[in-house]
Each structure stands twice: as C-alpha cells, then as structure tokens.
Amino acid sequence: MSDVKNETATVSVMNQLPDASIVGQSPLFHADLATVAKKGPNTGGVSFKEEALLGHITLRMNADNAEQMSVVEKVLGVALPTQPLTSVSQGDVVVRWISPDEWLITVPGLQAFDIETAFQQNMSGHYQVVNVSGGQTLVTLSGKHAKDVIKKSSPIDLHPSEFPVGKVVTSVFAKSSAVIRRSGEETFELVIRRSFSDYLWLWIQDASREYGLVVEA
Amino acid sequence: MFLIYCPHCGEHREEEEFHNHGQAHIARPLDPDSCTDEEWGNYMFFRKNPKGLHHELWVHAAGCRKFFNVTRHTATYEIKEVYKIGEQPKVVE
C-alpha cells in the first residue's frame, strides 16, 4: 500500500447531528425503552441499555505510518490500539480494533462531526474516515447473567482468561453480527447494525427471559 | 465444526465466522488480451479437486474481514497450516 502524498483532495463531510435542538431517533427509538424501563422490573440477572445516538467513526489507515498515528493521537487524545482484539478508552472516547487496518471510534454524538473534520484537516496521505453513526447503535448488556445471554448468541469464548476486560471481537451474534467489547467484568458493549437492532432487541428479550431482564433508559 | 486460526486476529474462531473462497494461488494472466481461449478458460473456470492437501483461500467474514490461506486435507478435513496472503505454503505434497 503506497501512501499518496501532496494530494489536496476535498472531501464533503456532513454534520449528521448539527445541534441538540434537532431530535435524533436512535435505531431502537420505536421500542420506547424509557417507557419499558419505567414499567419493567428493577431487579434481574441482565440489564439492557441502549447508548443511543453516539458518534461512530470508522477509521482505516496503515498502522505502520507513524506520522498518521501521531495525528490520530492528537485528534483523539489517545493512541490507536495496534494489538489485535484490543481497545482503548479515554473519557468518553473508545477506540476498538476491528482489523489490522481498521478501527471503530465511538464518541459522544455531538462530537462526531468535529472529530471527523479534525481528521480531514490534519491527516495527510492514504486513509479513510467515515461517520457511520446512522448505521449502527451501541447497547450494553450487564449483570451476572449478561455473559450467559451472549453465550447463547455467539460462538465466542467469554472466559475471563480468554476474554479479559477491554478485549474486542467482531463476531456472529444471533445470526446477525456484533462488535462485542468487555467493558467490565460483567458488562459487555455490543455495536449492532441499525437494520438488525429491532431483531436483536427482540432476541435479547427472549434470550434473557430466564434470567430476568432489566431495561435501563 | 472447524476451529480456524485467523492470522490477523491471532486466535482460533469458529468456522461459522469464516467463508471458504476456493483454491488459493490463482494468478491472473499478466496480459489477458494475448491469452488463448484455453489459457483464459483454465484461469477462469478450472479448479483443482484433490483428495488430499488443498491450498484454499478463506475470509474471516464475520470478524476482521481479511483474507488468508489455509492448507487443508480434503479427506480428513485437518487444517495443516494457515498463512497470510502473499506467503507460500510450507506444507506441500
């Protein structure tokens, strides 16, 4: 892969969430999780929460390019994880390793445009930054039986020796796919596709019925 | 089910996450315009179907979405080795 230098490409970027006055609808908007949370039980083995309207940014570049890596660190305040299947977090920013040349960055929703713009202004050479916030959403499963729900849905080995806190895998999840990150001993973050979010919401309700599902809003 | 080692993720994963893309190391003719029909036909359509070692292209479709090569025994299904694109197999008949 050769780096393209001295190229003044203009990239059109669009602010998907210009300001907080425009009401965004997350992929699970129709499920009205706030009402479900009020009605539902307060205790159970699994807690479900949608981290709605986060900014999701896909970054693709060559990890051997030290100049680009330093720009990333400047923009995000944290260096990209280059070890396979790892993640780093700094405040609200989480960077997930997806493949040797691809990372998924999640930031608070209103920051996505600023970060995307900062990449376009500061990076040079061969790279790609795409704001994919509209295409996916992040849900967390936590609690004593969160891992049991994931075990039903995915072939991933979740034993702490194989899947420590901070590890990220992209895998099959209930015939769909998910980027699964262990953010705590009993907490997992799933990045799921918008078009599958309703199906997975139904799936998770069904799979966690035996443990008791607590919906948080 | 296979447990397949992905050389990009650096760990074994279930076969469910992968797709087989058939025979590996098929070089596209450098000058397609000057190929005979037979050469082009062989390149496009003809594949090995061995009973024994087979070098195959796999993709970690549900994972890192990277391609890599596998040497697999087609009778026992045993995976002899996994190696990245651009490398040559060590296990050969």
Side-chain angles (χ1 to χ4, degrees):
Chain A
M1 201 185 293
S2 67
D3 282 355
V4 184
K5 296 275 182 195
N6 306 320
E7 190 181 271
T8 50
T10 50
V11 181
S12 312
V13 288
M14 190 191 80
N15 194 352
Q16 297 181 7
L17 276 175
D19 60 63
S21 68
I22 295 178
V23 182
Q25 295 192 349
S26 83
L28 288 175
F29 176 81
H30 66 285
D32 195 6
L33 295 172
T35 307
V36 177
K38 264 185 218 143
K39 265 194 261 174
N42 294 320
T43 55
V46 187
S47 295
F48 175 91
K49 184 169 195 287
E50 185 195 14
E51 303 289 343
L53 303 176
L54 284 181
H56 298 238
I57 298 165
T58 295
L59 170 65
R60 301 203 62 175
M61 54 172 263
N62 184 354
D64 296 330
N65 188 325
E67 190 191 323
Q68 289 184 343
M69 291 295 272
S70 69
V71 172
V72 174
E73 197 170 344
K74 206 174 77 189
V75 170
L76 296 177
V78 64
L80 288 182
T82 50
Q83 277 295 314
L85 309 176
T86 57
S87 67
V88 294
S89 60
Q90 168 101 358
D92 292 329
V93 178
V94 181
V95 187
R96 295 167 178 79
W97 184 96
I98 301 292
S99 97
D101 56 4
E102 181 175 346
W103 292 266
L104 175 65
I105 303 160
T106 51
V107 297
L110 295 173
Q111 286 179 23
F113 181 67
D114 298 338
I115 289 181
E116 191 187 359
T117 311
F119 273 121
Q120 306 289 7
Q121 285 169 351
N122 295 301
M123 291 274 264
S124 60
H126 189 68
Y127 74 100
Q128 181 189 50
V129 169
V130 182
N131 184 346
V132 293
S133 310
Q136 52 200 31
T137 190
L138 192 150
V139 300
T140 57
L141 288 174
S142 56
K144 204 168 73 162
H145 290 288
K147 69 173 187 303
D148 296 314
V149 173
I150 298 174
K151 276 185 197 168
K152 286 185 188 182
S153 321
S154 172
I156 293 297
D157 185 351
L158 295 174
H159 192 274
S161 64
E162 274 296 308
F163 205 106
V165 174
K167 182 169 174 177
V168 176
V169 297
T170 311
S171 183
V172 181
F173 188 88
K175 297 180 188 173
S176 173
S177 67
V179 180
I180 305 170
R181 171 174 178 260
R182 191 175 207 144
S183 53
E185 291 295 331
E186 290 183 344
T187 312
F188 296 88
E189 294 175 347
L190 276 59
V191 177
I192 57 176
R193 294 278 183 174
R194 180 177 204 104
S195 52
F196 282 101
S197 59
D198 180 58
Y199 161 68
L200 290 172
W201 160 235
L202 298 175
W203 172 280
I204 287 167
Q205 287 176 80
D206 193 36
S208 54
R209 186 158 295 154
E210 62 176 297
Y211 311 114
L213 179 65
V214 181
V215 176
E216 295 171 5
Chain B
M1 294 285 281
F2 290 148
L3 275 176
I4 299 172
Y5 182 83
C6 171
H8 302 285
C9 293
E11 68 175 20
H12 287 82
R13 295 285 188 83
E14 289 275 348
E15 182 190 355
E16 192 181 355
E17 295 185 8
F18 298 86
H19 283 305
N20 184 327
H21 275 257
Q23 186 184 333
H25 305 296
I26 298 171
R28 183 183 166 88
L30 290 174
D31 186 5
D33 290 340
S34 62
C35 278
T36 63
D37 284 353
E38 190 183 354
E39 282 167 347
W40 188 250
N42 282 339
Y43 162 71
M44 285 294 277
F45 304 115
F46 285 81
R47 298 292 181 260
K48 288 177 188 162
N49 184 21
K51 182 180 181 183
L53 290 183
H54 192 215
H55 303 293
E56 299 172 328
L57 189 61
W58 286 71
V59 60
H60 195 181
C64 62
R65 304 194 294 271
K66 293 283 179 197
F67 284 84
F68 57 94
N69 295 323
V70 165
T71 306
R72 185 174 65 93
H73 195 289
T74 57
T76 64
Y77 277 40
E78 187 190 348
I79 292 175
K80 302 284 190 186
E81 66 172 335
V82 171
Y83 55 102
K84 288 185 184 173
I85 299 292
E87 294 173 359
Q88 291 300 313
K90 291 190 186 73
V91 182
V92 285
E93 277 172 308

